[in-house]
Amino acid sequence: MQVTPDHLKSSLIRMKVLDGYPSASGICFYKEHLYIIGDDAFYLLITDLEFNAVDRINLFPARGGRIHKSIKSDIESITIISLD
């Protein structure tokens, strides 16, 4: 049996429903903002640290609130890379 060291364990400390955002499969923190992506959302949501929407970045043409399962991308994570 493999035991995970205490400093590598995680726990859920808060839940937030993002009204109007269809899903959230990835989240990234950068410069006091959260960047949230979902595989059936047509845009990347940017929030403050209290999850209040402050901006968004369109990723796909908007066709309603949710991308249909038959044509959606399978986005499951997000990361931000800073160069120089």
Side-chain angles (χ1 to χ4, degrees):
M1 177 173 103
Q2 185 177 9
V3 177
T4 304
D6 285 339
H7 70 282
L8 296 178
K9 292 180 180 177
S10 61
S11 61
L12 178 65
I13 58 172
R14 185 170 157 200
M15 261 179 74
K16 173 73 174 173
V17 174
L18 301 172
D19 292 327
Y21 199 70
S23 68
S25 54
I27 187 168
C28 193
F29 171 78
Y30 181 69
K31 293 188 177 181
E32 303 303 315
H33 288 93
L34 299 167
Y35 293 76
I36 302 167
I37 196 163
D39 61 0
D40 55 354
F42 62 88
Y43 62 94
L44 180 135
L45 179 64
I46 304 170
T47 74
D48 61 18
L49 298 180
E50 296 298 316
F51 293 97
N52 299 305
V54 296
D55 205 354
R56 64 195 227 176
I57 299 170
N58 287 337
L59 301 173
F60 307 104
R63 294 186 181 143
R66 178 174 236 140
I67 298 174
H68 191 271
K69 185 176 182 172
S70 65
I71 61 170
K72 71 176 184 152
S73 300
D74 197 19
I75 300 170
E76 298 299 339
S77 64
I78 184 174
T79 190
I80 295 175
I81 299 171
S82 179
L83 300 174
D84 298 323

